[in-house]
Amino acid sequence: MKLSRRDALALALGGAAAAMLPARAMADAAADAIAAFTGGAATGTGGLTLTAPEIAENGNTVPIAVDAPGATEIIVLATGNPTPSVATFKFGPAAGSQAASTRIRLSKTQDVLAIAKMPDGSFVQASSTVKVTIGGCGG
Amino acid sequence: MISRREFIQASLAASTILGASGLSRWSRVMAQQSLTQDQLLEFDSFGNVTLIHITDIHAQAKPIYFREPEINLGVGDAKGRPPHVVGKDFLSMFKLQPNSPEAYALTYDNFTDLAKSYGKMGGMDRVATVVKAIRADRPEALLLDGGDTWHGSMTSLKTAGQDMVNIMNALGTDAMTSHWEWTFGQDRVKEIVETLPFPFLGANIFDVEWDEPAFEPYKIFERGGVRIAVIGQAFPYMPIANPKWMFPDYSFGIREERMQEVVDEVRAEGVDLVVCLSHNGFDVDYKMAGRVKGIDVILTGHTHDAVPEPVLVGETILIASGSNGKFVSRVDLDVREGRMMGFRHKLIPIFSDVITPDTDMAALIDNERAPYKAELEEVVGQTESLLYRRGNFNGTWDDLICDAILSERDAEIAMSPGVRWGTTLLPGDNITREDIHNATSMTYGACYRTEMTGETINTILEDVADNIFNTDPYYQQGGDMVRIGGMGYHIDVSKPIGERVSNMTLLKTGEAIDPARSYVVAGWASVNEGTEGPQIWDVIESHVRKIGTVQLTPNESVVVTGA
């Protein structure tokens, strides 16, 4: 039986090539995306809910949702992906709610980050660590 | 001549009432008194609602030995907090006497001697006697099953869970939640659920395609004039810890915000009491209790902890009722004006020599076993060592299993999953085929043989360790560390992922594991579809038949620091 590294990990009880790099400051690409969205403005917290699983059941399709009442725009970044930008949601004046959900691909364990632009031009952010593991060993 | 029954003693009477000072009146009775069924059942009825909780039976219909953990490390905030307290520390925390029946039931010290004195525990016929007695006292008591019920024995494997379904139906279960049930496959789960006379609850079980709730989240009962919402929470990490391909249409997860929504929904419906029947595991439930508002009682399961007193988190009480049918919790509540005003609780230990088996249930169990009786009871060998599994690192059952794998599969390194189920055998016991199944029974038991590099092995150990020792309970999956044969290592549990495991050594040569070299590794319980190899119980049986008598030397290959 010839196995790829990923297969071997899944085969063994534990699994998981959870990234060994301790969150090396946020990848430059993510920092660039944030700066482009906020224009360098400081971001606060509160008023934005990011819902994501603690551990991904399948790193290739991770369900996430954002909700920021009143926001005009929300961006979602997968800070550890080679291309961090995931989505930008824009809400017009007629929008009934400022919430969205989608599924994203995560290459490894990382923080998912959402930033909302509020009507007064301020920004708020929320983040959530999503662990990508192959698993096994459930007692 | 004193009979065992007279020798055993104690009233495991925990009568804790909210607001009363001094939580611990759990047991003061002297070890010389005899233990009686009446003492075990003694309970001063309280309030107007009774909950009966049993969980993680793992299909143990007959009485068993089950040694509680010697090592059960808590990390972060959980350090030193129940259930992360063992042995003498546990006894002193709960004011229990060494060598008492409670010490035997709840801790590991001197296990072999105490097991010989006090006998086996559990047995669903004894549990039936206890449940009937509680219902005689409180006819409207709710019986709630926390899951891991259909899996864990040879008969449950042979009947795809049907023996336990029949037993739990006869017991009069009012609701259940789930974990290993799913390893019979989603079609089998649905087939059984359609026949159940009670709801199969899981507020966190969602349809993968539409991301919508797929099972009943809760059930509202009217008992004793009180409206009680029982919310189910299935094991959150089903598709990660167990083979996803067996239940591809379902998604799980902790889904804390969903739990809050459901609690709010039942509160808005005007229920008087909110109970969460959970398979989250103790530390996850502890965290959830502090974050989700409005749950009165969490009946916690999964991590197999038996805690003799309710644990309070804000205004929520956590009840942990052990595993393998060793305990039944009775929780009496005073519920008035939509509020839980007080509680009284007792973790009833099921001493099988003290509690009279219920005749009807005993007959049902024997009937379920009859077709397999000869197969189950066939003696494969003997053990001179105490065989147990529970604990964060290698248990002796795992040492035996790893020896069997190394020898039968001609491997350099063996891996055995750190599950928390698996019953105990005493020195001098026969090892029957059923005993081997009690430590290994599963629907994905193929013993694979493959090659892995040293680096891959390290990655696996690091990953599994993070599932146990991550300081955020929401990232813990609730198993123990993967057991390793043929290789030793050091682990610092206080470190983050990637930094815990070091000094990996091939025991045979004493050489350090080379990250770049390939090693022949064999193991079982792979979550991959299509894994090939003989079933692990056959591997073990073949090994035990060859050696005849199991004699294990103490395993010191794992060095633990940072605890």
Side-chain angles (χ1 to χ4, degrees):
Chain A
M1 185 156 72
K2 189 71 191 160
L3 292 168
S4 71
R5 178 180 147 91
R6 189 175 171 89
D7 287 344
L9 285 170
L11 183 62
L13 323 148
M20 293 303 149
L21 293 175
R24 181 191 303 169
M26 197 174 299
D28 292 347
D32 291 349
I34 294 168
F37 184 63
T38 63
T43 56
T45 54
L48 167 61
T49 307
L50 168 65
T51 306
E54 286 80 10
I55 306 180
E57 292 180 356
N58 179 354
N60 288 325
T61 167
V62 181
I64 59 120
V66 287
D67 186 0
T72 56
E73 216 171 318
I74 304 175
I75 61 162
V76 178
L77 302 171
T79 58
N81 276 3
T83 308
S85 293
V86 170
T88 305
F89 302 105
K90 296 186 178 179
F91 304 99
S97 73
Q98 291 75 37
S101 62
T102 185
R103 293 174 200 230
I104 66 178
R105 184 174 184 183
L106 299 178
S107 64
K108 60 182 183 183
T109 297
Q110 59 185 280
D111 287 342
V112 174
L113 180 73
I115 302 176
K117 183 176 185 181
M118 307 310 282
D120 63 0
S122 67
F123 296 91
V124 290
Q125 75 169 56
S127 77
S128 185
T129 304
V130 180
K131 196 170 150 176
V132 179
T133 169
I134 296 170
C137 277
Chain B
M1 181 69 189
I2 187 166
S3 73
R4 178 191 280 167
R5 198 155 164 156
E6 286 162 343
F7 173 68
I8 300 173
Q9 59 78 34
S11 92
L12 301 173
S15 303
T16 317
I17 299 170
L18 256 184
S21 63
L23 276 176
S24 194
R25 297 210 291 114
W26 200 52
S27 165
R28 310 253 154 91
V29 185
M30 305 303 294
Q32 293 79 352
Q33 264 180 271
S34 67
L35 185 63
T36 66
Q37 178 167 318
D38 287 347
Q39 272 181 313
L40 292 177
L41 292 171
E42 186 181 10
F43 196 103
D44 195 6
S45 293
F46 176 80
N48 48 356
V49 169
T50 295
L51 307 176
I52 308 169
H53 182 225
I54 188 164
T55 190
D56 296 84
I57 300 167
H58 283 287
Q60 296 303 321
K62 288 282 193 184
I64 45 80
Y65 297 112
F66 184 82
R67 181 186 186 265
E68 299 295 333
E70 186 171 343
I71 301 179
N72 190 16
L73 303 175
V75 289
D77 296 341
K79 192 171 179 175
R81 190 173 73 194
H84 302 287
V85 180
V86 301
K88 291 183 176 61
D89 292 339
F90 187 100
L91 298 181
S92 67
M93 178 173 274
F94 294 104
K95 300 186 173 58
L96 305 174
Q97 297 297 318
N99 300 322
S100 63
E102 306 94 308
Y104 163 59
L106 293 161
T107 63
Y108 71 92
D109 256 347
N110 202 17
F111 186 83
T112 300
D113 288 348
L114 297 182
K116 285 176 179 164
S117 297
Y118 296 126
K120 291 185 175 180
M121 297 193 69
M124 292 309 293
D125 46 5
R126 275 78 166 179
V127 167
T129 298
V130 170
V131 169
K132 280 187 179 173
I134 297 171
R135 282 187 168 144
D137 189 28
R138 268 283 164 82
E140 294 195 277
L142 275 182
L143 173 61
L144 302 172
D145 169 13
D148 275 1
T149 307
W150 306 346
H151 153 274
S153 72
M154 187 167 173
T155 51
S156 69
L157 185 66
K158 293 225 175 236
T159 63
Q162 193 63 47
D163 65 333
M164 288 306 295
V165 170
N166 296 344
I167 287 167
M168 296 311 284
N169 288 352
L171 198 61
T173 307
D174 288 299
M176 76 177 291
T177 190
S178 57
H179 171 188
W180 280 86
E181 283 70 18
W182 289 94
T183 62
F184 288 112
Q186 63 185 32
D187 292 345
R188 177 61 179 153
V189 169
K190 284 190 282 189
E191 180 181 69
I192 291 176
V193 168
E194 278 172 21
T195 70
L196 292 180
F198 55 83
F200 184 85
L201 301 175
N204 61 333
I205 309 176
F206 277 52
D207 175 86
V208 163
E209 191 168 0
W210 301 104
D211 203 24
E212 288 172 350
F215 280 80
E216 263 181 282
Y218 62 84
K219 162 104 176 171
I220 296 175
F221 297 90
E222 300 223 19
R223 298 291 169 104
V226 174
R227 295 185 76 222
I228 306 165
V230 176
I231 303 170
Q233 173 84 347
F235 176 52
Y237 293 124
M238 240 9 276
I240 299 155
N242 302 86
K244 180 162 48 184
W245 59 269
M246 291 181 167
F247 35 89
D249 294 347
Y250 299 100
S251 166
F252 297 73
I254 295 173
R255 297 180 188 263
E256 183 187 276
E257 65 295 335
R258 161 75 174 160
M259 180 57 67
Q260 185 66 66
E261 259 173 44
V262 174
V263 172
D264 292 346
E265 183 180 325
V266 296
R267 287 282 178 201
E269 279 199 39
V271 301
D272 302 297
L273 181 76
V274 176
V275 176
C276 177
L277 178 61
S278 170
H279 206 93
N280 271 341
F282 193 95
D283 292 348
V284 176
D285 277 325
Y286 191 97
K287 178 173 173 181
M288 192 176 84
R291 294 166 59 92
V292 173
K293 301 302 167 201
I295 302 176
D296 295 303
V297 181
I298 298 181
L299 302 171
T300 180
H302 181 49
T303 39
H304 292 193
D305 312 294
V307 183
E309 291 171 359
V311 172
L312 274 160
V313 181
E315 294 183 352
T316 304
I317 59 171
L318 261 67
I319 307 292
S321 306
S323 68
N324 290 279
K326 269 181 84 173
F327 302 94
V328 170
S329 285
R330 173 174 176 177
V331 187
D332 278 21
L333 304 165
D334 180 17
V335 183
R336 279 175 285 149
E337 296 150 22
R339 272 201 73 193
M340 185 173 81
M341 313 295 277
F343 61 87
R344 184 171 292 166
H345 157 269
K346 181 171 174 176
L347 179 68
I348 303 168
I350 310 297
F351 285 98
S352 68
D353 293 332
V354 177
I355 294 170
T356 310
D358 176 78
T359 319
D360 294 344
M361 186 62 86
L364 171 60
I365 293 167
D366 285 342
N367 191 46
E368 295 293 344
R369 294 169 59 85
Y372 315 106
K373 196 169 188 310
E375 239 182 308
L376 291 164
E377 294 177 359
E378 187 171 337
V379 175
V380 172
Q382 280 78 37
T383 183
E384 286 185 4
S385 301
L386 175 68
L387 295 180
Y388 63 90
R389 172 174 290 141
R390 187 65 241 284
N392 287 156
F393 302 96
N394 281 40
T396 48
W397 252 122
D398 308 297
D399 292 340
L400 172 61
I401 292 169
C402 287
D403 285 352
I405 292 171
L406 291 175
S407 156
E408 296 288 316
R409 302 290 281 151
D410 190 23
E412 295 175 279
I413 293 170
M415 293 190 179
S416 189
V419 295
R420 295 190 173 202
W421 44 268
T423 56
T424 302
L425 292 182
L426 303 184
D429 278 355
N430 284 329
I431 302 174
T432 64
R433 187 170 291 124
E434 177 172 33
D435 294 327
I436 295 173
H437 268 264
N438 281 344
T440 55
S441 170
M442 61 163 56
T443 54
Y444 51 105
C447 184
Y448 62 83
R449 182 177 190 276
T450 186
E451 289 192 6
M452 293 183 197
T453 62
E455 186 191 0
T456 299
I457 296 166
N458 179 268
T459 303
I460 290 166
L461 293 187
E462 286 285 357
D463 190 72
V464 179
D466 198 58
N467 293 336
I468 306 160
F469 301 117
N470 193 306
T471 52
D472 182 344
Y474 278 12
Y475 294 88
Q476 295 171 6
Q477 293 173 22
D480 282 315
M481 190 64 186
V482 54
R483 278 63 165 130
I484 304 288
M487 191 192 92
Y489 64 94
H490 290 204
I491 178 165
D492 181 343
V493 301
S494 68
K495 291 278 201 295
I497 188 166
E499 297 173 32
R500 292 190 180 97
V501 176
S502 63
N503 292 64
M504 287 168 43
T505 308
L506 194 64
L507 296 178
K508 195 167 56 183
T509 62
E511 286 169 11
I513 295 287
D514 177 352
R517 200 200 119 181
S518 275
Y519 296 86
V520 177
V521 177
W524 60 290
S526 163
V527 298
N528 268 9
E529 190 168 8
T531 300
E532 291 173 11
Q535 295 298 323
I536 185 64
W537 43 89
D538 292 331
V539 172
I540 298 165
E541 180 169 330
S542 170
H543 175 70
V544 171
R545 283 190 190 281
K546 281 175 197 153
I547 60 173
T549 300
V550 174
Q551 287 174 297
L552 297 167
T553 49
N555 181 347
E556 287 159 359
S557 63
V558 181
V559 177
V560 182
T561 57

